[in-house]
Amino acid sequence: MIRIAVLGGDGIGPEVVAASLPALRRACEKSGLDVEFPEALVGGAAFDATGHPLPPATLKLCDASQAIFFGAVGGPKYDKIPDPNLRPERGSLLPLRKRYELFANLRPARVYPGLEGQSHLKPEYLKGLDLLVIRELTGGAYFGRKELKADRAFDAIEYKASEIERLMHFAFRAAMGRGRRLTLVHKANVLLTSVLWKKVAEKVSRKYPRVKMDDCYVDAFAMYLVRRPASFDVVATENMMGDILTDEAAEVTGSIGLLPSASLGTRGNRLGSFGLYEPCHGSAPDIAGKGLANPLATLLSAALLLRYSLGREKAARALEDAVARTLADGFRTRDLASPAAKGGKGTRAGRLVSTRQMGEAVLERLEKIRFS
Ligand code: IPM
Ligand code: MG
């Protein structure tokens, strides 16, 4: 029996997870896997119930699982918790990433047919956009030494060459399986950590002569990402730059509600890597509980789970296809429907559906795809 820990968390987290689980379960069944999906508390919900955002029972479940299917954590209510280490983000998500050394965070961004009018960019700039950002996830400012005093504060950015090296190997291997182009994003004209990133990346690149690597300052990259997003293939970068750029990449493709993620490390078994799978959008407290959230980023994260933690490539593709077909058939959660409804050029207004209905539409299409 394979175990997947389900941590819905806060805000829209539980809704998008609940809307996605039936399709993930079905994909597992159809690929002959015997999987159980026990749930546990995390984030603010766990803090409210137990006084800690990552209680021992949750850790125990995650330790005994092959992957974590994660919603989102945080919300304004919890920003007032005096100890920052007990706040949902710092107290649960970051420790989970660190505990399992989930150093490689994959964030694939593409444009789905029918959603070209959704982006704020003109459709001609989106043609061929298929980007994979690989963000380093367990180092940099997020985990460096920190101090907060009344009149000063600092967050140190620190990286070991070995941390950069493993991320770059991961990125080069990913590039080998795609368009064989890799862009390293850094700030080596100012930051010494970036100087090290560049040096290590150049060394690793010699082992992958078939991949064409180039590099780019982060400020310029932010500009190129809106000017010519389709010119990039795999992008590798450090933790905080990756955080910022992937929100930008999501917006370029149309909605942050479409951007999935996989966080992978070195742990694994015969099926695949241990991983944490979560949508990139966060807990969106303003729309929580209203059925307005888009579950597609979570469903696409479930596809990544099938691919990387369960070794089921066909099932992963089937789920991705089911999402694409659902969009092609005009199903739209509010984030996708409004600009079109306002008359966005070249886009059908589509059928406005709730979080749950979107999940059901994907499941229905998944049933029709043969992949077992
Ligand atoms: C993300 C999120 C997190 C991050 C937050 C919730 C801590 O923005 O996964 O991109 O900054 O890594
Ligand atoms: Mg982010």
Side-chain angles (χ1 to χ4, degrees), residues 73 89-90 93-94 97 105 107 135 137 142 239 242-243 246-247 261 278-280 282:
V73 291
E89 296 86 346
R90 287 266 303 273
L93 185 55
L94 300 193
R97 290 172 177 174
N105 181 230
R107 300 188 165 189
R135 165 189 175 194
L137 204 61
Y142 279 58
N239 202 344
D243 177 44
T246 49
D247 271 26
S261 83
E278 56 173 329
C280 295

Side-chain angles (χ1 to χ4, degrees), residues 87-306:
R87 289 185 201 145
E89 296 86 346
R90 287 266 303 273
S92 67
L93 185 55
L94 300 193
L96 280 172
R97 290 172 177 174
K98 196 70 180 175
R99 180 180 182 89
Y100 303 111
E101 286 240 31
L102 304 172
F103 67 89
N105 181 230
L106 279 65
R107 300 188 165 189
R110 50 177 285 212
V111 180
Y112 287 87
L115 288 188
E116 296 86 353
Q118 188 62 33
S119 171
H120 297 284
L121 296 189
K122 296 188 191 102
E124 60 260 39
Y125 292 102
L126 304 172
K127 207 163 273 154
L129 197 169
D130 184 1
L131 187 70
L132 175 63
V133 179
I134 302 188
R135 165 189 175 194
E136 202 289 329
L137 204 61
T138 50
Y142 279 58
F143 294 97
R145 284 166 291 145
K146 291 170 182 292
E147 193 172 276
L148 173 60
K149 294 242 172 91
D151 58 347
R152 67 187 185 92
F154 70 82
D155 300 276
I157 304 175
E158 289 178 78
Y159 270 109
K160 292 196 198 93
S162 57
E163 293 173 306
I164 301 170
E165 200 170 326
R166 66 184 180 180
L167 193 277
M168 290 312 302
H169 275 291
F170 199 105
F172 273 103
R173 282 197 300 268
M176 285 294 288
R178 293 174 44 108
R180 299 211 186 123
R181 283 178 300 119
L182 174 61
T183 305
L184 171 72
V185 174
H186 60 77
K187 187 74 185 173
N189 50 350
V190 176
L191 301 177
L192 296 179
T193 40
S194 282
V195 173
L196 186 64
W197 268 86
K198 231 185 125 179
K199 194 173 135 203
V200 173
E202 271 155 18
K203 191 184 103 187
V204 174
S205 79
R206 289 197 274 277
K207 297 218 163 85
Y208 302 87
R210 291 162 73 194
V211 176
K212 192 177 171 308
M213 184 183 92
D214 58 9
D215 69 287
C216 190
Y217 293 130
V218 63
D219 47 354
F221 183 81
M223 178 174 73
Y224 296 141
L225 192 54
V226 287
R227 186 191 287 176
R228 49 175 175 87
S231 69
F232 299 104
D233 177 17
V234 177
V235 174
T237 191
E238 64 96 65
N239 202 344
M240 192 156 133
M241 295 178 198
D243 177 44
I244 298 166
L245 293 173
T246 49
D247 271 26
E248 189 189 349
E251 202 50 43
V252 164
T253 65
S255 169
I256 187 121
L258 292 170
L259 195 70
S261 83
S263 304
L264 308 172
T266 42
R267 220 175 98 156
N269 65 13
R270 68 190 165 82
L271 289 172
S273 298
F274 178 89
L276 185 149
Y277 300 85
E278 56 173 329
C280 295
H281 50 59
S283 64
D286 51 323
I287 59 163
K290 298 181 182 159
L292 296 174
N294 183 349
L296 294 183
T298 313
L299 279 152
L300 292 167
S301 302
L304 297 177
L305 189 159
L306 289 160

Side-chain angles (χ1 to χ4, degrees), residues 31-46:
S31 23
L33 292 170
D34 195 8
V35 187
E36 61 172 11
F37 295 89
E39 299 190 16
L41 289 169
V42 75

